Amino acid sequence: MEPVAQTYQDHSRAIWKLGLPLILSNLAQFAIHITDTVMLGWYDVTALAASTIAGTLFFVIFIVGAGFSQAVTPLVAAAAEEDDDVQVRRVTRMGLWLSIFYGLGVTIPFFWAEDILIAIGQDPDVAALAHIYLQIIIWQMIPALVVWTLKAFLAAMEHTAIILWATIGTAVLNGFINYALIFGNFGMPELGIQGAAIASLSVNVITVLILVLYINRKLPQFELFKNFWRSDAEILRRVFMLGWPIGLTSLAEGGLFSASAVMMGWIGAIELAAHGIAIQLASLTFMVHIGFSQAATVRAGRALGRRDELSLRRGGITAIGMSALFAVLTSVVFLALPETLVSLFIDPNEPQRATLLRIGASLIMVAALFQLVDGLQVLALGLLRGVQDTTVPMVMAAVSYWMIGLPVSYLLAFNLGFGAVGLWSGLVIGLAVAAVLLLWRFWGRSVKIAPVDLAQQL
């Protein structure tokens, strides 16, 4: 296929058309986490703190395996642009294999979750509740990874509407189950934090069933689930080689936020609860940037399939501009309404409401800058994944997060006495460095359109 030059307006329309359903589905998916946070915040502050630290622990392990899912998108997008249906099937199947194998292997440490949390300095009451929560959600690891892989396949094939509607439906269901089981409504038992875990597990299993049924009906030519047990060593290796740096990059960032939650726990349980609220709000806007990043990965992967350097560069500039514009708009909201936003997560009768509002509002104001640099760095990562460049970006990200962001956070929070605000300020600095390095890397890669040799990236 001959490369076709496109205007920035063409790229803007294409990214918006592809990205809007992904953004909305990300927001709907995140509504599940928001629902958990809001309802647990209304139920009990200790339960909120426990779900914050437990969810962080689960996520940091999950996100490594999700790297194999995310590797599916650029590989399928490039294969689809070349009309290679067999390659599309091979890549997706092996992505599912790797997701399942990983999910089976990582559940064991969760059985000692309480001991682990106490060992890293968490409050015993918080650790005990977090352990109860984790004993249920460990069983959602495999279905959650399968969901991510199937969504990656569908996004690469530009079948994004089903991702949106399936996620909206399960988000509504999650809210209903939460309301019933956390508080004991509709004649159900009052399970508190256990009810939130059961809801999360249920919606992941249901989402798998919905996506499998859709793929079998709407995309039968790929035969993704026929003879599913057949191995494909060549493609398994390729997905693995592209996916493990993605997973470790996500681990580096997820681990940074996990470490920040642990350090916030050292400051105090109230600060940890406020941190959980602020993270939820910052993560809500981050879902939009993730959607732009996912769309950018698909567009870059298809440009790679066509060997179209002009389209890659223009598409990249357009996606970066759209993400940055959204960040500026949401920063205005964060700066204008910090206490109003935090108050949405706190019971009006909570005895420590005033303290939570004060600390949470200060973190939200830092988050205004935080989400700008975080959006830019994740957009750059999406573009680099589209051109199948993952190992060098992994190193750049890890250095930025762990050698710059985390030490600065500790220095500001503890040595200089800035507490929770200092901790968040260090995160902003680390993410800003990552954004600069990764954008520089993409611009250099955009003039070398050939796929990266996965064995020779370093």
Side-chain angles (χ1 to χ4, degrees):
M1 181 182 295
E2 290 295 323
V4 178
Q6 294 177 304
T7 66
Y8 289 109
Q9 291 80 3
D10 293 332
H11 284 290
S12 179
R13 284 191 293 269
I15 291 169
W16 187 248
K17 180 180 178 181
L18 179 60
L20 181 59
L22 294 172
I23 289 169
L24 294 176
S25 66
N26 288 338
L27 291 172
Q29 180 67 41
F30 191 70
I32 295 173
H33 305 292
I34 288 288
T35 301
D36 289 351
T37 301
V38 170
M39 291 192 180
L40 286 172
W42 290 345
Y43 184 76
D44 179 70
V45 171
T46 304
L48 173 59
S51 68
T52 298
I53 197 68
T56 299
L57 182 60
F58 178 88
F59 181 76
V60 78
I61 296 176
F62 167 83
I63 202 64
V64 177
F68 303 125
S69 303
Q70 294 176 75
V72 168
T73 300
L75 292 172
V76 167
E81 193 65 26
E82 297 170 346
D83 297 319
D84 190 344
D85 291 354
V86 173
Q87 185 77 344
V88 168
R89 177 174 64 249
R90 295 169 71 195
V91 167
T92 307
R93 279 184 178 175
M94 292 303 99
L96 288 167
W97 271 43
L98 287 168
S99 296
I100 292 169
F101 290 154
Y102 178 86
L104 289 171
V106 298
T107 57
I108 296 175
F110 285 100
F111 292 103
W112 291 274
E114 183 174 2
D115 294 333
I116 293 171
L117 291 171
I118 290 175
I120 59 177
Q122 300 306 298
D123 180 86
D125 291 338
V126 172
L129 275 179
H131 179 82
I132 292 171
Y133 183 78
L134 285 166
Q135 296 317 292
I136 297 172
I137 66 167
I138 58 172
W139 304 109
Q140 80 177 37
M141 182 69 73
I142 290 176
L145 289 170
V146 169
V147 166
W148 272 48
T149 306
L150 296 179
K151 286 183 176 180
F153 161 75
L154 289 165
M157 299 306 299
E158 302 190 8
H159 280 248
T160 53
I162 180 59
I163 298 175
L164 171 60
W165 293 114
T167 309
I168 289 175
T170 52
V172 172
L173 179 63
N174 176 75
F176 178 83
I177 299 174
N178 264 333
Y179 186 67
L181 295 182
I182 292 176
F183 301 100
N185 292 310
F186 309 119
M188 302 300 291
E190 181 182 334
L191 299 178
I193 197 170
Q194 289 177 298
I198 292 170
S200 183
L201 172 61
S202 300
V203 298
N204 274 283
V205 173
I206 291 169
T207 304
V208 170
L209 297 176
I210 292 171
L211 297 182
V212 168
L213 289 172
Y214 177 87
I215 291 168
N216 277 336
R217 181 168 181 174
K218 297 295 185 179
L219 298 166
Q221 68 272 27
F222 296 109
E223 299 183 318
L224 291 187
F225 309 107
K226 183 179 179 180
N227 298 325
F228 184 77
W229 57 86
R230 288 184 179 174
S231 63
D232 190 331
E234 176 191 350
I235 297 301
L236 185 73
R237 177 185 177 278
R238 183 158 184 81
V239 176
F240 178 83
M241 292 299 295
L242 187 64
W244 75 261
I246 297 176
L248 291 185
T249 301
S250 299
L251 175 63
E253 183 173 10
L256 175 67
F257 291 108
S258 296
S260 72
V262 170
M263 289 193 295
M264 199 68 78
W266 296 344
I267 298 173
I270 295 299
E271 286 80 4
L272 178 58
H275 173 82
I277 292 170
I279 281 288
Q280 295 292 333
L281 287 166
S283 298
L284 179 62
T285 61
F286 187 62
M287 293 301 101
V288 177
H289 299 293
I290 286 286
F292 283 130
S293 179
Q294 291 167 329
T297 297
V298 175
R299 296 287 295 170
R302 288 185 175 268
L304 179 67
R306 300 192 305 271
R307 305 297 187 266
D308 187 347
E309 294 177 7
L310 179 60
S311 180
L312 176 63
R313 290 194 297 274
R314 287 185 171 178
I317 292 171
T318 303
I320 291 166
M322 294 171 74
S323 183
L325 176 61
F326 176 79
V328 170
L329 294 175
T330 52
S331 293
V332 173
V333 176
F334 279 19
L335 291 171
L337 303 169
E339 288 195 5
T340 301
L341 294 171
V342 175
S343 68
L344 297 174
F345 295 83
I346 306 172
D347 188 333
N349 298 316
E350 168 58 45
Q352 303 183 82
R353 177 182 174 85
T355 304
L356 277 169
L357 280 174
R358 176 178 56 80
I359 298 172
S362 65
L363 296 182
I364 291 300
M365 295 182 75
V366 179
L369 179 58
F370 171 95
Q371 55 99 35
L372 171 61
V373 294
D374 203 14
L376 288 175
Q377 63 96 25
V378 79
L379 200 286
L381 283 170
L383 289 166
L384 288 164
R385 289 166 188 170
V387 295
Q388 301 176 24
D389 184 12
T390 58
T391 302
V392 171
M394 173 191 69
V395 175
M396 289 178 169
V399 169
S400 301
Y401 303 153
W402 285 89
M403 297 183 68
I404 298 173
L406 190 64
V408 173
S409 288
Y410 187 90
L411 175 68
L412 293 175
F414 297 100
N415 295 93
L416 298 181
F418 289 104
V421 171
L423 197 154
W424 269 60
S425 298
L427 299 180
V428 170
I429 293 170
L431 292 169
V433 173
V436 171
L437 291 176
L438 293 168
L439 288 171
W440 170 77
R441 173 71 177 180
F442 169 70
W443 197 251
R445 284 288 302 134
S446 68
V447 297
K448 297 187 295 182
I449 195 64
V452 174
D453 184 342
L454 297 176
Q456 301 293 330
Q457 286 194 62
L458 289 176

